[in-house]
Amino acid sequence: DMAVCAFERVDVATGKVVSIDMNKYGYKIINMDENNDDVLYINPGPCNKVYKYNKVKDNTFRAIRGSADLIFLLDSLPSIKKIVLIPDVLYSYQMRYDSQIHNIKQHDIDTFKQEFLRIKNDYTKNNQEYLKLLDVFAFIHLGISLMYRVSYNNDKPKTTIKNMILFLNENFSTWKKSEFLKFTHCIKKNIKSFGLWGIKVIYKMHLYMVFINIYKFFIDKLKIDVKW
């Protein structure tokens, strides 16, 4: 139903390959169900994917700055039963470091939240088995990825992150105790999963800005591109 290949990120300014994504899982077939969290670690961008038409023909890319790709994937997820991962690098993504921050405004945050609530409502009506996966998606993409981007152009990022955690606790509350974020699960899965467990621990200790600053150091100073 969906094929995913590896891809490289190339810094336009230097021509250097900054990172290669989706190449570490080998050739793998994922049979989707509510107990399989492999989909959490598939980047949501469409550039390295082919979808079976009849699985996504009723979905559209919504006008959500910086988040349309993920929302499309989440809208499509209940229809996707089989995913194949291909480790070959078949796409080159040209990127500019100064364009990744996206100048996120409060309106963008609010829109992203509302889209997650819409999807939760859809899942609650038709696909309740995917709600526990959705809670972890919300933690990753609202609590981590979006807050990283917000930290560049927000004069009170800590307050914004605190408000986001309150939103997650109220609407996607299983993220803290998710079976997909338990140490015993993550340590056996992959390095990204283990890192996600560590971020969860830091967030539960309310050390949000410690994580954000470490994250920014890896990306901005060490040029180690870590994406969700």
Side-chain angles (χ1 to χ4, degrees):
D1 299 324
M2 182 172 76
V4 183
C5 72
F7 67 101
E8 61 184 11
R9 294 186 180 90
V10 178
D11 184 353
V12 171
T14 65
K16 179 182 177 181
V17 175
V18 176
S19 64
I20 297 177
D21 202 351
M22 299 305 303
N23 66 322
K24 297 180 176 63
Y25 306 106
Y27 182 90
K28 182 177 183 179
I29 293 177
I30 300 171
N31 293 300
M32 275 302 303
D33 63 53
E34 67 272 20
N35 296 311
N36 190 337
D37 65 332
D38 287 340
V39 70
L40 292 171
Y41 303 98
I42 295 177
N43 72 297
C47 65
N48 66 325
K49 296 174 182 61
V50 177
Y51 289 92
K52 186 177 286 186
Y53 173 70
N54 66 0
K55 298 293 182 179
V56 298
K57 62 184 178 66
D58 296 324
N59 298 335
T60 59
F61 282 93
R62 295 170 176 263
I64 310 166
R65 188 169 59 163
S67 308
D69 298 347
L70 173 66
I71 298 304
F72 182 86
L73 177 63
L74 292 176
D75 280 335
S76 305
L77 192 59
S79 300
I80 296 171
K81 304 305 178 186
K82 184 174 288 188
I83 301 171
V84 60
L85 304 182
I86 302 167
D88 303 313
V89 176
L90 303 177
Y91 191 90
S92 181
Y93 182 84
Q94 308 295 305
M95 54 182 271
R96 291 184 295 274
Y97 274 96
D98 60 355
S99 69
Q100 295 181 70
I101 298 170
H102 293 296
N103 194 26
I104 299 296
K105 303 294 186 183
Q106 186 61 46
H107 170 74
D108 303 312
I109 298 172
D110 294 340
T111 300
F112 205 3
K113 286 180 177 179
Q114 290 304 312
E115 284 298 309
F116 259 91
L117 292 175
R118 176 188 64 79
I119 292 168
K120 179 182 178 180
N121 185 56
D122 290 345
Y123 282 15
T124 300
K125 290 180 179 178
N126 303 306
N127 301 281
Q128 290 189 22
E129 66 273 21
Y130 285 105
L131 286 171
K132 61 183 181 180
L133 276 171
L134 183 65
D135 281 15
V136 183
F137 268 112
F139 170 56
I140 292 172
H141 292 280
L142 290 174
I144 300 175
S145 182
L146 184 64
M147 292 302 97
Y148 157 71
R149 287 183 283 166
V150 163
S151 69
Y152 280 93
N153 50 41
N154 187 307
D155 57 354
K156 296 181 179 179
K158 188 174 182 179
T159 299
T160 303
I161 295 174
K162 282 184 176 180
N163 290 337
M164 181 61 78
I165 297 302
L166 290 174
F167 173 80
L168 293 176
N169 290 343
E170 181 178 350
N171 298 284
F172 303 93
S173 59
T174 70
W175 73 270
K176 284 185 177 181
K177 297 182 179 180
S178 171
E179 63 191 84
F180 303 129
L181 294 179
K182 290 183 177 179
F183 177 80
T184 51
H185 175 79
C186 294
I187 193 67
K188 294 184 292 185
K189 194 168 183 66
N190 57 58
I191 186 66
K192 213 168 190 179
S193 178
F194 183 64
L196 196 57
W197 169 81
I199 298 168
K200 181 199 74 171
V201 172
I202 292 172
Y203 271 44
K204 288 178 71 172
M205 295 171 64
H206 306 291
L207 299 175
Y208 319 117
M209 292 310 300
V210 171
F211 162 70
I212 293 296
N213 289 328
I214 292 173
Y215 197 8
K216 291 167 73 171
F217 175 77
F218 269 89
I219 294 176
D220 296 343
K221 302 300 182 182
L222 301 183
K223 304 299 183 184
I224 299 175
D225 201 46
V226 183
K227 287 288 186 293
W228 296 101

